[in-house]
Amino acid sequence: MTSKRVDPVLYIFLLPCLAYTVIFHYVPLYGLQIAFKDFKASLGIWGSPWTGMENLTRFFSSYSFFDLVKNTLALSVYSLLAGFPAPILLSLILNYTVFPSLKKFTQTITYAPHFISMVVMVGMVQIFFSTTGPINSILGILGQSPRTFMGMPELFRSIYVWSGIWQNSGWASIIYIAVLSGVSPELHEAAMIDGASKLKRIFYIDIPALIPTAVILLILNFGSLMTVGFEKAFLLQNNVNLQVSEVISTYVYKIGILSAQYSYASAVGLFNNVINFILLVAINKAAKTVTETSLW
């Protein structure tokens, strides 16, 4: 039995990815030490005095600690629970669409929002929910008075999450559509001969085929559970909804960039990443135990 040799030249194609990973993911790790220092630009990273766990202790004892963690987890868990099933459902719907032209049209209009920049998307959301926007216009036709949706803290999380689902579900469904296209047609033919309905074919053929991919993506999502997108949260913030919209990423930006408290901001960011790492390892272990599917 002969083994196939891989042309060493092909490894050259890995160099750009390897260089990117090293430069942007490993070299910056050198700067993590400022989380345990009183960083002064004039002294540099290495010359700044050590403070130990002072910055982390300051964050844990801060009056905003519990609010930041609560807001971050609330947005992340809400996004995961509402957003994770959406592309799976969309892929199943598209997979059973009878008319090819309708399927292509639906794919186009659901993929398109993904390519809208975050700034433009947030601008669209603010226009839709403004006092003179289309939502309030419809409410006016129904005899309702205009509402300041963006000034209602209780609606911030729903606006954040569902606008994200609208923007990303179509693009996220591509990988599930690819999995469904790989399911053997013979399985469906045999099921139809046995009298299985579409619903039963979905439950007993399609969903089992999707589970391994869904588990891997779920693990990856849990690995970033504490990392709520900075851009969108920051752009949707205002003085009225700040009590629910201030998350760890926006807090780090404000104290690190705007207030120049670099050591403190690094300590908060380090805490956030450590929690994400712990969650990633834990959910990977749980997934491996339950489904025998895992990242490693």
Side-chain angles (χ1 to χ4, degrees):
M1 182 176 180
T2 58
S3 59
K4 295 182 179 179
R5 292 187 57 189
V6 178
D7 190 346
V9 177
L10 295 177
Y11 287 104
I12 296 176
F13 291 100
L14 291 176
L15 291 179
C17 295
L18 182 62
Y20 175 86
T21 303
V22 171
I23 294 173
F24 293 101
H25 293 278
Y26 283 94
V27 172
L29 292 178
Y30 168 77
L32 282 179
Q33 60 183 298
I34 70 173
F36 307 98
K37 291 189 171 189
D38 180 15
F39 175 72
K40 300 183 184 300
S42 58
L43 299 176
I45 294 178
W46 190 252
S48 298
W50 291 92
T51 58
M53 302 294 289
E54 181 180 326
N55 291 314
L56 286 171
T57 303
R58 175 186 168 192
F59 177 56
F60 296 149
S61 60
S62 170
Y63 72 91
S64 58
F65 172 74
F66 290 104
D67 289 336
L68 289 171
V69 174
K70 181 188 70 174
N71 292 341
T72 303
L73 283 176
L75 272 183
S76 296
V77 173
Y78 190 177
S79 299
L80 186 63
L81 293 178
F84 187 76
I88 298 177
L89 294 174
L90 180 59
S91 65
L92 290 170
I93 293 171
L94 292 174
N95 189 53
Y96 283 91
T97 302
V98 178
F99 304 104
S101 57
L102 177 61
K103 181 178 181 179
K104 292 180 180 178
F105 175 75
T106 305
Q107 286 178 306
T108 301
I109 62 174
T110 54
Y111 294 171
H114 174 77
F115 299 98
I116 301 175
S117 71
M118 188 60 68
V119 175
V120 174
M121 195 278 292
V122 170
M124 292 171 63
V125 170
Q126 291 175 338
I127 291 173
F128 290 154
F129 289 99
S130 66
T131 54
T132 57
I135 305 298
N136 272 311
S137 297
I138 295 173
L139 291 177
I141 295 174
L142 298 175
Q144 301 290 325
S145 58
R147 302 178 184 177
T148 55
F149 291 101
M150 301 306 297
M152 301 170 68
E154 64 274 16
L155 294 181
F156 172 81
R157 289 168 183 158
S158 293
I159 292 174
Y160 179 98
V161 171
W162 290 101
S163 61
I165 293 174
W166 165 74
Q167 185 179 21
N168 298 313
S169 291
W171 184 256
S173 69
I174 293 176
I175 189 170
Y176 296 112
I177 293 173
V179 173
L180 291 174
S181 66
V183 175
S184 175
E186 296 177 356
L187 293 175
H188 287 281
E189 292 171 1
M192 286 187 289
I193 292 173
D194 291 337
S197 63
K198 286 185 178 180
L199 191 60
K200 288 185 176 180
R201 286 158 55 197
I202 289 173
F203 276 103
Y204 294 106
I205 298 176
D206 294 326
I207 291 182
L210 291 173
I211 285 177
T213 302
V215 169
I216 294 297
L217 294 177
L218 183 63
I219 293 172
L220 294 174
N221 285 336
F222 262 95
S224 58
L225 192 65
M226 291 286 288
T227 308
V228 177
F230 160 75
E231 298 92 346
K232 189 175 180 181
F234 183 73
L235 291 170
L236 286 174
Q237 275 185 0
N238 55 52
N239 293 330
V240 181
N241 63 28
L242 194 62
Q243 59 182 326
V244 294
S245 63
E246 187 76 295
V247 293
I248 291 178
S249 57
T250 59
Y251 181 72
V252 168
Y253 167 75
K254 291 175 182 177
I255 63 174
I257 303 301
L258 301 184
S259 300
Q261 301 180 50
Y262 304 116
S263 295
Y264 181 49
S266 297
V268 177
L270 180 61
F271 160 79
N272 198 39
N273 291 330
V274 169
I275 297 299
N276 280 334
F277 177 74
I278 294 173
L279 289 173
L280 177 63
V281 173
I283 193 63
N284 184 76
K285 179 65 176 178
K288 189 174 183 179
T289 303
V290 175
T291 66
E292 298 184 355
T293 301
S294 62
L295 289 175
W296 64 84

